Amino acid sequence: MLFDCKSYYSFFQPLEVTRHTLLSDKMGFHFFELPKLPDDISQENMLMLWLALFKADTEEELEKIKGMEAPIMSQAINAYYTITASSEFREKEQLRTRVCLKIHSCHLHAPLYGRFVPHSVNVAQYASLIRDKSPANCDAQLTESNFKTHSSTRY
């Protein structure tokens, strides 16, 4: 949760820190916390319907919104179904998933690509860090990092 309150909606306006004067009444920040959204939604409240649509994770939730007989929501859900049914969308989704996995993998292995002088204090500190985080993988990761060190690099 973003804010420690029960309300799904919060509105903020920027104030000067010491004098607490409002910067502008023409500017503000609206936050909608979807997990806090109430379950009972009226078909007349378009904002709540759109928020429920953004929150929907399952086909059942989409069909529940569609069943409220708000024409614009039915159009939006039908458009979503049309887009996600295309082979182009599925291909892009698979590529996006692969990129996300690659980025995650890079973040996991980022410390291994540092340049260490062999037998330096940095290697010892790194070994200690890896051993604390993952004792089972320590030797494999240190071996991998040692192959990536550059002894000719001067610090």
XYZ file of all heavy atoms in Angstrom, residues 85-142:
462
model
N -6.145 -10.765 -28.569
C -6.325 -11.970 -29.374
C -5.401 -11.991 -30.586
O -5.192 -13.043 -31.186
C -7.773 -12.088 -29.828
N -4.827 -10.855 -30.951
C -3.997 -10.808 -32.158
C -2.646 -11.485 -31.930
O -2.090 -11.466 -30.838
C -3.782 -9.358 -32.594
O -2.878 -8.714 -31.734
N -2.121 -12.083 -32.987
C -0.822 -12.752 -32.899
C 0.294 -11.730 -32.674
O 1.279 -12.024 -32.000
C -0.548 -13.570 -34.161
O -0.555 -12.720 -35.290
N 0.125 -10.529 -33.210
C 1.134 -9.473 -33.003
C 1.246 -9.119 -31.517
O 2.341 -8.972 -30.986
C 0.763 -8.228 -33.810
C 1.769 -7.103 -33.675
C 1.342 -5.848 -34.431
O 0.349 -5.898 -35.179
O 2.017 -4.833 -34.251
N 0.124 -9.021 -30.837
C 0.138 -8.714 -29.408
C 0.822 -9.834 -28.632
O 1.649 -9.578 -27.761
C -1.285 -8.509 -28.878
C -1.326 -8.296 -27.395
C -1.104 -7.041 -26.857
C -1.562 -9.359 -26.531
C -1.119 -6.839 -25.494
C -1.583 -9.168 -25.174
C -1.369 -7.910 -24.644
N 0.472 -11.093 -28.948
C 1.077 -12.226 -28.233
C 2.586 -12.252 -28.436
O 3.343 -12.519 -27.506
C 0.439 -13.527 -28.679
C -0.962 -13.722 -28.101
C -1.452 -15.146 -28.282
N -1.496 -15.566 -29.676
C -2.536 -15.382 -30.480
N -3.608 -14.786 -30.037
N -2.498 -15.793 -31.729
N 3.043 -11.946 -29.643
C 4.477 -11.920 -29.922
C 5.160 -10.817 -29.115
O 6.208 -11.028 -28.507
C 4.717 -11.711 -31.413
C 6.178 -11.733 -31.797
C 6.371 -11.505 -33.290
O 5.456 -11.793 -34.077
O 7.459 -11.030 -33.648
N 4.554 -9.625 -29.092
C 5.132 -8.522 -28.317
C 5.131 -8.831 -26.824
O 6.066 -8.475 -26.108
C 4.377 -7.226 -28.591
C 4.692 -6.643 -29.947
C 3.971 -5.341 -30.185
C 4.327 -4.794 -31.560
N 3.674 -3.529 -31.837
N 4.100 -9.492 -26.356
C 4.030 -9.868 -24.941
C 5.127 -10.867 -24.597
O 5.750 -10.779 -23.552
C 2.645 -10.439 -24.617
C 2.424 -10.748 -23.169
C 2.499 -9.537 -22.257
O 2.331 -8.404 -22.727
O 2.743 -9.722 -21.057
N 5.387 -11.809 -25.489
C 6.474 -12.766 -25.256
C 7.824 -12.058 -25.250
O 8.680 -12.346 -24.418
C 6.459 -13.855 -26.323
C 5.326 -14.840 -26.160
C 5.258 -15.827 -27.316
O 5.848 -15.612 -28.371
N 4.522 -16.905 -27.109
N 8.022 -11.119 -26.162
C 9.274 -10.355 -26.189
C 9.437 -9.521 -24.916
O 10.520 -9.449 -24.334
C 9.325 -9.450 -27.418
C 9.522 -10.146 -28.750
C 9.364 -9.148 -29.895
C 10.874 -10.821 -28.814
N 8.340 -8.894 -24.476
C 8.388 -8.092 -23.249
C 8.752 -8.969 -22.056
O 9.570 -8.597 -21.222
C 7.036 -7.420 -23.004
C 7.064 -6.426 -21.848
C 5.678 -5.907 -21.530
N 4.833 -6.893 -20.913
C 4.898 -7.253 -19.633
N 5.790 -6.713 -18.851
N 4.077 -8.147 -19.149
N 8.193 -10.173 -21.998
C 8.502 -11.091 -20.902
C 9.970 -11.479 -20.934
O 10.637 -11.500 -19.893
C 7.614 -12.349 -21.003
O 6.251 -11.934 -20.971
C 7.886 -13.304 -19.873
N 10.491 -11.764 -22.125
C 11.921 -12.110 -22.234
C 12.813 -10.961 -21.797
O 13.805 -11.160 -21.112
C 12.255 -12.515 -23.669
C 11.896 -13.936 -23.953
C 12.503 -14.378 -25.274
N 11.434 -15.055 -25.996
C 11.222 -14.997 -27.279
N 12.006 -14.302 -28.046
N 10.235 -15.637 -27.824
N 12.467 -9.743 -22.201
C 13.256 -8.571 -21.803
C 13.218 -8.400 -20.290
O 14.250 -8.142 -19.661
C 12.759 -7.297 -22.520
C 13.351 -6.046 -21.913
C 13.086 -7.375 -24.005
N 12.044 -8.556 -19.701
C 11.930 -8.433 -18.238
C 12.799 -9.476 -17.542
O 13.474 -9.172 -16.554
C 10.480 -8.582 -17.796
S 9.452 -7.172 -18.227
N 12.800 -10.709 -18.052
C 13.630 -11.750 -17.458
C 15.113 -11.436 -17.612
O 15.905 -11.657 -16.697
C 13.307 -13.110 -18.088
C 11.966 -13.708 -17.703
C 11.671 -14.941 -18.549
C 11.938 -14.055 -16.227
N 15.491 -10.909 -18.776
C 16.891 -10.542 -18.994
C 17.328 -9.434 -18.046
O 18.410 -9.469 -17.475
C 17.109 -10.092 -20.444
C 17.638 -11.143 -21.335
C 18.029 -10.544 -22.654
C 19.333 -11.162 -23.041
N 19.709 -10.961 -24.399
N 16.481 -8.427 -17.889
C 16.801 -7.322 -16.992
C 16.931 -7.843 -15.573
O 17.875 -7.497 -14.850
C 15.727 -6.212 -17.080
C 15.843 -5.502 -18.426
C 15.857 -5.223 -15.929
C 14.686 -4.554 -18.732
N 16.008 -8.704 -15.155
C 16.062 -9.274 -13.813
C 17.347 -10.069 -13.628
O 18.020 -9.953 -12.606
C 14.836 -10.153 -13.570
C 14.798 -10.765 -12.223
N 14.620 -10.015 -11.083
C 14.934 -12.049 -11.817
C 14.639 -10.819 -10.039
N 14.822 -12.055 -10.467
N 17.700 -10.852 -14.628
C 18.926 -11.634 -14.559
C 20.155 -10.733 -14.446
O 21.070 -11.010 -13.679
C 19.041 -12.521 -15.797
O 20.251 -13.231 -15.783
N 20.159 -9.638 -15.200
C 21.281 -8.695 -15.126
C 21.404 -8.091 -13.736
O 22.498 -7.934 -13.211
C 21.118 -7.578 -16.155
S 21.371 -8.136 -17.845
N 20.258 -7.768 -13.135
C 20.293 -7.200 -11.786
C 20.818 -8.214 -10.773
O 21.519 -7.852 -9.838
C 18.912 -6.706 -11.366
C 18.514 -5.435 -12.042
N 18.947 -4.210 -11.630
C 17.735 -5.218 -13.121
C 18.452 -3.279 -12.414
N 17.710 -3.855 -13.345
N 20.463 -9.485 -10.972
C 20.949 -10.508 -10.051
C 22.451 -10.706 -10.160
O 23.124 -10.987 -9.184
C 20.243 -11.843 -10.321
C 18.789 -11.925 -9.895
C 18.200 -13.264 -10.343
C 18.675 -11.794 -8.385
N 22.974 -10.586 -11.378
C 24.386 -10.847 -11.601
C 25.233 -9.587 -11.706
O 26.413 -9.660 -11.990
C 24.566 -11.693 -12.866
C 24.052 -13.077 -12.701
N 22.731 -13.392 -12.930
C 24.640 -14.218 -12.275
C 22.551 -14.670 -12.690
N 23.684 -15.195 -12.290
N 24.666 -8.426 -11.469
C 25.409 -7.175 -11.612
C 26.701 -7.159 -10.815
O 27.736 -6.741 -11.329
C 24.530 -5.985 -11.240
N 26.708 -7.617 -9.559
C 27.974 -7.560 -8.806
C 29.067 -8.421 -9.420
O 30.243 -8.159 -9.231
C 27.596 -8.096 -7.426
C 26.129 -7.953 -7.340
C 25.610 -8.067 -8.744
N 28.682 -9.438 -10.201
C 29.689 -10.331 -10.774
C 30.483 -9.672 -11.893
O 31.536 -10.150 -12.268
C 29.017 -11.595 -11.316
C 28.299 -12.443 -10.277
C 27.609 -13.602 -10.961
C 29.257 -12.925 -9.224
N 29.988 -8.576 -12.438
C 30.661 -7.953 -13.555
C 31.596 -6.825 -13.123
O 32.140 -6.127 -13.946
C 29.635 -7.424 -14.564
C 28.917 -8.552 -15.246
C 27.679 -8.972 -14.802
C 29.507 -9.230 -16.305
C 27.026 -10.028 -15.410
C 28.859 -10.284 -16.907
C 27.626 -10.678 -16.460
O 26.984 -11.715 -17.058
N 31.765 -6.657 -11.799
C 32.702 -5.649 -11.330
C 34.117 -6.045 -11.687
O 34.435 -7.216 -11.875
N 34.996 -5.076 -11.796
C 36.387 -5.379 -12.125
C 37.199 -5.395 -10.844
O 37.306 -4.383 -10.147
C 36.943 -4.329 -13.085
C 36.248 -4.383 -14.416
C 36.794 -3.323 -15.316
N 36.087 -3.391 -16.574
C 36.678 -3.272 -17.743
N 37.950 -3.053 -17.830
N 35.976 -3.348 -18.838
N 37.747 -6.534 -10.509
C 38.545 -6.690 -9.305
C 39.986 -6.978 -9.690
O 40.266 -7.662 -10.657
C 38.049 -7.869 -8.463
C 36.649 -7.716 -7.960
C 35.678 -8.651 -8.270
C 36.297 -6.638 -7.165
C 34.390 -8.514 -7.798
C 35.013 -6.497 -6.689
C 34.061 -7.442 -7.001
N 40.898 -6.495 -8.885
C 42.282 -6.937 -8.989
C 42.311 -8.256 -8.225
O 41.845 -8.317 -7.090
C 43.233 -5.912 -8.345
C 44.654 -6.416 -8.362
C 43.115 -4.579 -9.053
N 42.809 -9.348 -8.825
C 42.797 -10.628 -8.130
C 43.439 -10.515 -6.751
O 44.425 -9.820 -6.566
C 43.593 -11.547 -9.044
C 43.413 -10.944 -10.392
C 43.355 -9.452 -10.161
N 42.847 -11.206 -5.780
C 43.324 -11.263 -4.393
C 43.289 -9.894 -3.718
O 44.052 -9.636 -2.796
C 44.737 -11.865 -4.320
C 44.845 -13.153 -5.063
N 44.151 -14.279 -4.700
C 45.534 -13.478 -6.178
C 44.415 -15.253 -5.559
N 45.248 -14.794 -6.466
N 42.446 -9.003 -4.175
C 42.364 -7.681 -3.561
C 41.377 -7.690 -2.404
O 40.645 -8.647 -2.190
C 41.907 -6.640 -4.596
O 40.540 -6.844 -4.898
N 41.335 -6.600 -1.674
C 40.387 -6.454 -0.574
C 38.960 -6.496 -1.118
O 38.063 -7.056 -0.495
C 40.652 -5.121 0.174
C 39.591 -4.884 1.233
C 42.030 -5.131 0.782
N 38.743 -5.934 -2.316
C 37.407 -5.945 -2.909
C 36.894 -7.361 -3.120
O 35.725 -7.643 -2.890
C 37.400 -5.208 -4.243
C 37.576 -3.722 -4.081
O 37.390 -3.190 -2.995
N 37.949 -3.055 -5.158
N 37.766 -8.263 -3.567
C 37.360 -9.649 -3.778
C 36.987 -10.277 -2.445
O 35.986 -10.977 -2.321
C 38.462 -10.464 -4.484
C 38.099 -11.938 -4.530
C 38.693 -9.935 -5.892
N 37.764 -10.008 -1.412
C 37.469 -10.566 -0.092
C 36.137 -10.032 0.437
O 35.329 -10.790 0.987
C 38.594 -10.231 0.874
N 35.875 -8.735 0.251
C 34.612 -8.171 0.707
C 33.452 -8.740 -0.099
O 32.389 -9.036 0.449
C 34.640 -6.646 0.582
C 35.559 -5.987 1.571
C 35.737 -4.495 1.295
O 35.424 -4.018 0.209
N 36.247 -3.784 2.283
N 33.666 -8.913 -1.388
C 32.635 -9.470 -2.246
C 32.328 -10.912 -1.844
O 31.166 -11.310 -1.756
C 33.090 -9.393 -3.705
C 32.121 -10.022 -4.667
C 30.920 -9.394 -4.942
C 32.391 -11.235 -5.274
C 30.008 -9.958 -5.816
C 31.496 -11.807 -6.138
C 30.312 -11.167 -6.413
O 29.422 -11.733 -7.262
N 33.382 -11.679 -1.584
C 33.198 -13.072 -1.170
C 32.379 -13.139 0.111
O 31.474 -13.966 0.249
C 34.551 -13.746 -0.978
N 32.677 -12.268 1.035
C 31.939 -12.229 2.292
C 30.466 -11.898 2.048
O 29.571 -12.518 2.626
C 32.573 -11.195 3.214
O 31.746 -10.923 4.291
N 30.224 -10.928 1.185
C 28.851 -10.527 0.867
C 28.079 -11.678 0.234
O 26.951 -11.984 0.627
C 28.867 -9.327 -0.073
C 27.516 -8.853 -0.595
C 26.724 -8.210 0.537
C 27.694 -7.876 -1.733
N 28.660 -12.341 -0.749
C 27.998 -13.444 -1.438
C 27.773 -14.605 -0.476
O 26.715 -15.222 -0.461
C 28.822 -13.910 -2.668
C 28.844 -12.820 -3.712
C 28.254 -15.206 -3.246
C 27.487 -12.452 -4.270
N 28.757 -14.908 0.350
C 28.635 -16.021 1.290
C 27.476 -15.762 2.260
O 26.723 -16.662 2.595
C 29.948 -16.216 2.047
C 30.032 -17.573 2.721
C 31.446 -17.881 3.201
N 32.267 -18.335 2.087
C 33.284 -17.648 1.568
N 33.623 -16.488 2.054
N 33.962 -18.126 0.556
N 27.309 -14.506 2.694
C 26.212 -14.170 3.604
C 24.865 -14.295 2.909
O 23.900 -14.768 3.487
C 26.362 -12.736 4.138
C 27.520 -12.605 5.107
O 27.999 -13.653 5.601
O 27.955 -11.465 5.355
N 24.788 -13.838 1.658
C 23.523 -13.853 0.926
C 23.122 -15.253 0.484
O 21.960 -15.622 0.544
C 23.613 -12.959 -0.309
C 23.477 -11.509 -0.021
C 23.443 -10.765 -1.325
C 22.986 -9.343 -1.128
N 22.891 -8.632 -2.376
N 24.075 -16.019 -0.004
C 23.748 -17.317 -0.591
C 24.920 -18.280 -0.426
O 25.717 -18.453 -1.338
C 23.412 -17.126 -2.071
O 23.151 -18.359 -2.660
N 25.030 -18.918 0.744
C 26.168 -19.806 0.979
C 26.279 -20.932 -0.043
O 27.370 -21.312 -0.424
C 25.891 -20.381 2.381
C 24.877 -19.492 2.994
C 24.139 -18.833 1.882
N 25.139 -21.443 -0.535
C 25.177 -22.564 -1.473
C 25.787 -22.175 -2.810
O 26.455 -22.975 -3.462
C 23.774 -23.112 -1.687
N 25.575 -20.929 -3.249
C 26.058 -20.502 -4.560
C 27.372 -19.736 -4.499
O 27.867 -19.287 -5.512
C 25.014 -19.606 -5.236
C 23.753 -20.361 -5.552
O 23.786 -21.563 -5.743
N 22.638 -19.659 -5.589
N 27.922 -19.593 -3.331
C 29.093 -18.733 -3.152
C 30.256 -19.139 -4.049
O 30.811 -18.328 -4.763
C 29.518 -18.740 -1.691
S 30.989 -17.759 -1.374
N 30.648 -20.420 -3.994
C 31.821 -20.852 -4.761
C 31.622 -20.684 -6.255
O 32.513 -20.219 -6.963
C 32.168 -22.311 -4.438
C 32.643 -22.469 -3.001
O 33.168 -21.467 -2.446
O 32.485 -23.563 -2.435
N 30.420 -21.008 -6.759
C 30.152 -20.872 -8.195
C 30.206 -19.417 -8.618
O 30.781 -19.079 -9.653
C 28.791 -21.471 -8.538
N 29.639 -18.537 -7.807
C 29.623 -17.131 -8.165
C 31.018 -16.525 -8.093
O 31.398 -15.713 -8.932
C 28.655 -16.362 -7.277
C 27.215 -16.702 -7.590
C 26.241 -15.853 -6.801
O 26.633 -15.040 -5.987
N 24.959 -16.064 -7.050
N 31.795 -16.919 -7.100
C 33.160 -16.390 -6.997
C 34.020 -16.893 -8.146
O 34.830 -16.152 -8.694
C 33.783 -16.769 -5.658
C 33.236 -15.989 -4.468
C 33.836 -16.507 -3.180
C 33.505 -14.516 -4.623
